[in-house]
Amino acid sequence: MKLSLRGVEKSYTGGRGETCALVPLDLDVGEGEFVSLVGPSGCGKSTLLHIVAGLERATAGVVALDGERVLGPGAEIGLVFQQQTLFPWLSVRENVGFPLTLSRARAAAAGAERERQAARVESLLRLVGLWEFRDSRPAELSGGMQQRAALARALVVQPEVLLMDEPFGALDAQTREEMQELLLHLTQHHRITTLFVTHDVDEALLLSDRVLVFSERPGSVVASIDVPFPRGDRSPELKLDEEFLRPKREILALLRGRSRSEAQRDRLLSGLTNTQPEGGS
Ligand SMILES: Nc1ncnc2c1ncn2[C@@H]1O[C@H](COP(=O)(O)OP(=O)(O)O)[C@@H](O)[C@H]1O
Ligand SMILES: [Mg+2]
């Protein structure tokens, strides 16, 4: 599915008057494309994801999936957030299968369809390595396992669009790397259109086709950086590749608030001299 935003903006009205979280924003994410958003905290990234998910209403503008306007939450979108959102009183298996109990398909589902749904839950639990823990409660799992369960739950409805808001922020480095590999594989294999928010520039570059850098609030896109590697053959070792370090330096410079032309000059210079990355200017 193709995602498009036109003139999407958001202001919150609260005790301290009006807060502008997003200035009018245009954005296109192609079918199967993986786009990351990086930017200072409070610049409106979560707001943007909530609007795309139909959980929050834009003050102005239009969000469309394959040309159809998004007016509320729908089954074609899977969501994974940073904070734990599993139901503590349900088992891992029940949590992963939960979205199916909400869908109209389930209400009508009889014998064979129910079996298919149960098989789907099982195959996802195996895929994320939680089959042995299917009867455990979330509190019995580590943070990484809970996040894997949340990912399986997001995928159970076979979403065509996946929205992830700093999903691996709370994980240790090794678990995080495992999750990144799993996500790379899944989103590519199923051609899922993905918007992914992260603070981690390495993570954004490793996973994405394109990285969007946001300005301070009110958020606007200051740069769109293409990642110069096919997603098919990426692995965490890529982070050490010189070709990988260049866009990384450019993004880090942009996040420090320098202008894009300056960042590009740095990139050119580092290409010429291949030494001194940055600073000292
Ligand atoms: N429900 C809300 N009511 C009022 N202000 C909000 C609400 N949600 C977010 N904001 C404000 O909007 C701005 C952007 O927030 P957010 O989208 O969470 O940023 P980010 O995810 O980039 O850190 C912040 O200034 C935040 O305080
Ligand atoms: Mg946020």
Side-chain angles (χ1 to χ4, degrees), residues 79-93:
L79 302 168
V80 183
F81 295 117
Q82 177 173 18
Q83 67 280 23
Q84 300 310 332
T85 51
L86 299 173
F87 297 117
W89 61 89
L90 296 181
S91 71
V92 170
R93 184 186 358 214

Side-chain angles (χ1 to χ4, degrees), residues 3-141:
L3 170 67
S4 69
L5 280 70
R6 288 292 171 272
V8 169
E9 59 177 288
K10 179 73 184 177
S11 303
Y12 290 107
T13 323
R16 289 186 301 147
E18 187 134 315
T19 307
C20 181
L22 286 174
V23 294
L25 184 94
D26 294 338
L27 172 63
D28 287 289
V29 186
E31 163 124 30
E33 195 183 12
F34 194 119
V35 173
S36 286
L37 313 178
V38 299
S41 97
C43 74
K45 304 178 298 293
S46 297
T47 299
L48 179 66
L49 251 54
H50 292 160
I51 291 171
V52 173
L55 298 171
E56 188 117 51
R57 202 175 270 273
T59 311
V62 175
V63 178
L65 286 172
D66 277 349
E68 274 212 29
R69 195 166 176 174
V70 174
L71 296 168
E76 61 282 350
I77 297 185
L79 302 168
V80 183
F81 295 117
Q82 177 173 18
Q83 67 280 23
Q84 300 310 332
T85 51
L86 299 173
F87 297 117
W89 61 89
L90 296 181
S91 71
V92 170
R93 184 186 358 214
E94 289 163 336
N95 265 288
V96 170
F98 185 76
L100 297 172
T101 67
L102 300 175
S103 70
R104 265 170 287 157
R106 175 66 181 223
E113 177 59 17
R114 282 199 188 208
E115 267 168 43
R116 258 197 301 279
Q117 291 183 343
R120 177 154 180 78
V121 171
E122 176 174 345
S123 74
L124 276 167
L125 283 170
R126 290 188 187 281
L127 182 73
V128 300
L130 287 177
W131 179 243
E132 268 132 74
F133 297 88
R134 60 192 176 276
D135 295 320
S136 305
R137 307 279 144 182
E140 299 168 62
L141 305 183

